[in-house]
Amino acid sequence: MSFTADKNAELWVLPVLRQLADIPAAEWAYFAERLSWLELAPGAALSEAGLVADRLGFVVHGLIRKLHLSEHGKRVVRGFGGPGSVVGAYASLLTRQPSHLRVEALEPTGLFVLQWSEIDALYARHVCWQIVGRRLAEANLVEREQRAHELLTASATERYRRFCATHRELLPRLRDYDIASYLGITPVSLSRLRARRLRSSGSAPASGDTARRRAR
């Protein structure tokens, strides 16, 4: 992907917004002027745990990981975001309280970012932005509820099956530790689940560290 193509907000951001609401041309022009381009190196953060989040990101290329940090420094993966994802520490953005979530790059990542301080002005300008904001909040709420339901009621085998189905394009780029943490299991348990899945399907590994080792 070229540098020029990366920075085409109309190509990458407008389609995402149009899935949420009808965006008049004048409103898109106003919005696009307030976007900035951000390059994150692996490990660099869009939002830091312990600080009030101030940016919303539209991922163009790369890979984002969202994680919680325990009091003892343990990392618990909350989710991932690839190209086309809208990412941010939503609870902190909405409450203006320090975030419990760290939003960071797993690989070189380029994204358009909007300062959260622009949101109120957008809401006051046109109803389309109120619709966008509401639908983003609704999608985040639904994702959280579904995630909680899976962790509480689904078996590890079922959680892994669903993860493979919903994260198919990201699987080869994810590390086993991150997948296991997201599923709420150990890497050893993940290896067993993957082995059983491979035996039942007869297919080759398609995710995580195992796939990368085979590619070397």
Side-chain angles (χ1 to χ4, degrees), residues 1 12 39 52 54 57 61 64 78 82 85 96-97 99 109 122 134 140 145-146 149 152 155 168 173 208 213:
M1 185 180 300
W12 291 101
E39 292 277 357
V52 177
D54 61 357
H61 69 81
I64 291 289
R78 165 73 172 73
S85 300
R96 312 311 301 143
Q97 297 297 312
S99 178
T109 299
L122 286 170
R134 187 188 78 237
N140 188 58
E145 184 169 316
Q146 290 176 338
H149 177 74
L152 290 171
S155 67
R168 186 180 305 276
R173 298 155 61 187
R213 285 195 294 268

Side-chain angles (χ1 to χ4, degrees), residues 30 36 57 118:
Y30 179 88
S36 59
E118 299 280 356

Side-chain angles (χ1 to χ4, degrees), residues 188-207:
V188 172
S189 295
L190 175 63
S191 295
R192 291 170 180 163
L193 287 174
R194 183 178 290 131
R196 286 201 295 268
R197 182 179 176 88
L198 293 176
R199 285 197 298 269
S200 64
S201 66
S203 61
S207 64

Side-chain angles (χ1 to χ4, degrees), residues 46-47 51-56 89 92-93 96 114-117:
L46 174 69
S47 300
L51 301 178
V52 177
D54 61 357
R55 298 182 292 186
L56 194 67
S92 178
L93 289 170
R96 312 311 301 143
L114 177 72
Q115 294 295 322
W116 194 252
S117 58

Side-chain angles (χ1 to χ4, degrees), residues 16-205:
V16 174
L17 297 177
R18 281 181 170 164
Q19 291 179 19
L20 303 172
D22 182 25
I23 310 295
E27 291 306 309
W28 165 248
Y30 179 88
F31 183 89
E33 289 178 355
R34 281 148 183 81
L35 293 173
S36 59
W37 179 255
L38 178 65
E39 292 277 357
L40 293 176
L46 174 69
S47 300
E48 289 279 9
L51 301 178
V52 177
D54 61 357
R55 298 182 292 186
L56 194 67
F58 299 82
V59 181
V60 172
H61 69 81
L63 183 60
I64 291 289
R65 174 176 66 175
K66 296 175 284 185
L67 55 83
H68 292 276
L69 302 178
S70 73
E71 294 180 359
H72 305 292
K74 181 181 179 181
R75 298 184 173 192
V76 180
V77 176
R78 165 73 172 73
F80 307 97
S85 300
V86 183
V87 295
Y90 288 105
S92 178
L93 289 170
L94 292 171
T95 64
R96 312 311 301 143
Q97 297 297 312
S99 178
H100 299 295
L101 196 67
R102 176 179 169 86
V103 182
E104 66 179 17
L106 281 178
E107 59 189 46
T109 299
L111 60 168
F112 286 100
V113 296
L114 177 72
Q115 294 295 322
W116 194 252
S117 58
E118 299 280 356
I119 294 297
D120 285 340
L122 286 170
Y123 288 165
R125 275 184 59 88
H126 196 280
V127 68
C128 70
W129 301 118
Q130 297 177 29
I131 296 172
V132 167
R134 187 188 78 237
R135 289 181 175 167
L136 282 175
E138 289 171 350
N140 188 58
L141 176 62
V142 169
E143 188 274 334
R144 283 172 176 263
E145 184 169 316
Q146 290 176 338
R147 172 91 172 115
H149 177 74
E150 284 189 5
L151 289 172
L152 290 171
T153 65
S155 67
T157 299
E158 180 63 16
R159 294 200 301 275
Y160 179 58
R161 185 192 66 79
R162 293 177 184 175
F163 183 84
C164 290
T166 57
H167 294 74
R168 186 180 305 276
E169 294 184 1
L170 297 182
L171 279 172
R173 298 155 61 187
L174 296 175
R175 294 176 291 190
D176 288 354
Y177 171 84
D178 289 328
I179 297 174
S181 179
Y182 178 84
L183 295 174
I185 60 178
T186 67
V188 172
S189 295
L190 175 63
S191 295
R192 291 170 180 163
L193 287 174
R194 183 178 290 131
R196 286 201 295 268
R197 182 179 176 88
L198 293 176
R199 285 197 298 269
S200 64
S201 66
S203 61

